[in-house]
Amino acid sequence: MSHEYCVELVPIFNHLPKESMALISKVAQHRTYKKDDYLFRADESGEALYIVHSGEVRLFHLTHEGDEQLLRVLYPGDFTGEWSLFNTVQNDETFAQVTMDSEICVIPVDKFQEMLLDYPQVALKLLEEMSRRLSQSQEQTIHIANRPIAKRLAWYLTSEIGPDRSTAKVHLPLSRKDLATYLGTTPESITRAFKQLEERGLIDQLSSDVIVVPVVDELRLYI
């Protein structure tokens, strides 16, 4: 694994000069995880920033009924653990589980806090990303609470498209099972919701993970 490349993957770092990224990479610990390993579990002390160098990591909560609620999936260049930089009381309910053999760069929280003092621009980038994620989480809560499954699915598809597209082909990054947990339902209900949207003429299913949206504004209006 290239230490420098791991840091270069991350938007909060890759705007820095090469020399600065090289210094940051020297404090990163490089770990290999096997499929189904955990980076951390709920209420564990995850006192580090975890950067995905290769592989994939699922972040999820458990409901009171013991069901998984998917928060997001991390791909190479994504990171988690940023809240530990500001929260010394560990009461997080998040699980981080590796879904395939993965290589992770780990920066201990004390080292990362030192970086924020040395590189204030990294702190600004980090706050931007945390603000974006918080907004996304709030939007997810709003759109999955007490809404029909088809409308939840329509919201998710439009969120994958972005704001400036009139038509789109969506390559779903999540499996149907993960999409179901993300939207707070079951895979069977997701299958029915896809069919409902297709019958309304709002989408065309080319395959299980490729969806065409002929008129994006019509899908947005359906939400």
Side-chain angles (χ1 to χ4, degrees):
M1 180 195 297
S2 167
H3 295 197
E4 291 78 8
Y5 182 63
C6 185
V7 172
E8 289 175 2
L9 286 173
V10 188
I12 63 172
F13 294 132
N14 61 15
H15 61 287
L16 296 173
K18 289 279 189 182
E19 314 83 69
S20 299
M21 285 193 287
L23 290 173
I24 292 172
S25 70
K26 288 181 179 178
V27 303
Q29 302 167 6
H30 302 276
R31 303 177 185 170
T32 299
Y33 292 83
K34 296 296 185 182
K35 183 178 184 292
D36 296 330
D37 285 347
Y38 285 86
L39 303 186
F40 53 83
R41 293 178 171 84
D43 293 325
E44 289 183 351
S45 180
E47 295 181 349
L49 187 77
Y50 298 86
I51 303 169
V52 181
H53 178 80
S54 65
E56 187 177 283
V57 178
R58 302 172 72 251
L59 300 182
F60 64 91
H61 287 171
L62 290 181
T63 66
H64 292 299
E65 294 76 23
D67 298 321
E68 289 186 10
Q69 173 64 61
L70 182 68
L71 303 176
R72 44 192 190 99
V73 178
L74 307 181
Y75 302 101
D78 291 332
F79 62 89
T80 188
E82 66 277 7
W83 288 104
S84 66
L85 301 172
F86 309 101
N87 182 18
T88 56
V89 179
Q90 294 296 323
N91 57 1
D92 192 4
E93 298 179 353
T94 303
F95 292 79
Q97 186 179 32
V98 172
T99 58
M100 63 176 68
D101 291 355
S102 301
E103 293 180 320
I104 309 294
C105 299
V106 182
I107 302 178
V109 66
D110 57 337
K111 297 296 184 181
F112 194 71
Q113 288 170 337
E114 291 174 9
M115 288 178 205
L116 297 185
L117 296 176
D118 293 335
Y119 306 104
Q121 60 270 51
V122 172
L124 291 175
K125 289 285 186 180
L126 179 62
L127 289 173
E128 287 177 10
E129 177 62 17
M130 293 174 73
S131 176
R132 186 190 68 81
R133 292 182 184 181
L134 182 59
S135 176
Q136 186 179 49
S137 178
Q138 290 173 335
E139 189 175 358
Q140 178 189 4
T141 300
I142 291 169
H143 284 282
I144 70 173
N146 303 316
R147 283 176 174 253
I149 307 303
K151 289 185 180 291
R152 301 183 203 180
L153 178 58
W155 163 76
Y156 173 78
L157 292 173
T158 58
S159 71
E160 287 293 307
I161 293 169
D164 302 319
R165 304 278 295 279
S166 58
T167 185
K169 180 184 290 187
V170 182
H171 295 264
L172 298 176
L174 302 179
S175 67
R176 295 293 172 98
K177 179 182 177 182
D178 282 342
L179 182 55
T181 61
Y182 184 74
L183 296 178
T185 186
T186 64
E188 294 78 15
S189 295
I190 286 293
T191 297
R192 288 193 292 270
F194 272 111
K195 186 175 181 181
Q196 289 175 34
L197 295 182
E198 193 164 38
E199 288 173 347
R200 287 176 172 268
L202 297 173
I203 66 169
D204 293 317
Q205 299 186 76
L206 299 187
S207 66
S208 62
D209 61 350
V210 179
I211 308 297
V212 171
V213 182
V215 183
V216 175
D217 283 344
E218 289 185 5
L219 188 62
R220 289 199 178 100
L221 286 173
Y222 176 73
I223 300 171

